[in-house]
Amino acid sequence: MEIQKLYDLDDIEFEDIAIGLVRLAKNIPAHEFFYKINQTNNLNFSRKKDLVFHGDYYDYFFPRFEAYHKYSKTCFTFISNKSSESKQKKVQTELFTEEENIKFLLNNQVDVEYILHSSEQFPDFSVILLPENLVFPIQDYTLSSDEELYQIIQYYE
């Protein structure tokens, strides 16, 4: 008797992820930024285990901050777009490698400080009151399943 396949990976359609891009108007440290967010919201963002990206020559660490909305039970996560730390795994022997000691999760958005992600399929980032004069309006952004950041966010969910 043959065993039937329950599903075929080629037939599965991956849904896009909606994220928010957060740009700061002033250069302030992360602890001060989240202190101000926690003051103006009923949320309590705290630092969680860093998101780790393993490159060929470096391991990159991206700070992650998480909070749960009390009423909607939604988890909001801020992930730093720029690595805060990198650990060299091996010495680069090639001249033109694309890997440096600093990495951005969104290479085409280097002016973005944080990537905001929600546990909801259709997130509403307007429930987070951002400090005035510190942050530009959150820009909606859609990640498709073929992007590297999509895979990283799925892994850490």
Side-chain angles (χ1 to χ4, degrees):
M1 184 181 290
E2 291 183 23
I3 300 174
Q4 291 182 337
K5 281 188 185 178
L6 294 177
Y7 57 88
D8 186 5
L9 288 178
D10 295 334
D11 291 340
I12 297 175
E13 287 189 31
F14 295 101
E15 294 185 19
D16 294 343
I17 296 177
I19 60 173
L21 305 181
V22 179
R23 291 175 175 82
L24 298 181
K26 296 179 183 177
N27 190 13
I28 61 170
H31 67 274
E32 185 177 332
F33 175 66
F34 286 101
Y35 174 75
K36 291 185 184 255
I37 286 180
N38 288 341
Q39 275 186 322
T40 58
N41 291 279
N42 287 335
L43 299 167
N44 188 17
F45 280 96
S46 60
R47 180 105 183 237
K48 298 297 178 187
K49 188 175 177 186
D50 286 357
L51 184 146
V52 180
F53 179 86
H54 301 285
D56 292 329
Y57 298 98
Y58 294 93
D59 285 338
Y60 301 98
F61 298 86
F62 298 89
R64 204 166 53 115
F65 301 86
E66 196 172 87
Y68 288 91
H69 192 266
K70 190 180 349 179
Y71 303 112
S72 67
K73 306 290 189 229
T74 303
C75 177
F76 290 103
T77 306
F78 278 91
I79 305 167
S80 178
N81 186 35
K82 183 180 178 181
S83 62
S84 63
E85 180 184 356
S86 61
K87 292 185 180 174
Q88 190 170 9
K89 296 193 290 190
K90 61 183 178 179
V91 178
Q92 293 181 350
T93 55
E94 300 173 22
L95 280 178
F96 301 106
T97 60
E98 304 249 340
E99 199 168 328
E100 297 178 17
N101 64 341
I102 294 175
K103 178 160 179 61
F104 291 90
L105 290 173
L106 292 172
N107 291 324
N108 59 343
Q109 303 282 345
V110 295
D111 61 331
V112 171
E113 288 292 321
Y114 296 101
I115 298 163
L116 180 56
H117 173 61
S118 170
S119 60
E120 296 290 319
Q121 184 175 3
F122 302 107
D124 180 16
F125 298 127
S126 65
V127 297
I128 301 174
L129 301 174
L130 298 173
E132 290 185 30
N133 302 327
L134 285 182
V135 181
F136 292 108
I138 295 174
Q139 177 188 348
D140 292 330
Y141 190 84
T142 304
L143 288 176
S144 64
S145 60
D146 58 343
E147 292 184 60
E148 187 175 54
L149 182 56
Y150 178 96
Q151 306 299 329
I152 293 170
I153 288 175
Q154 292 291 65
Y155 175 78
Y156 278 91
E157 257 188 359

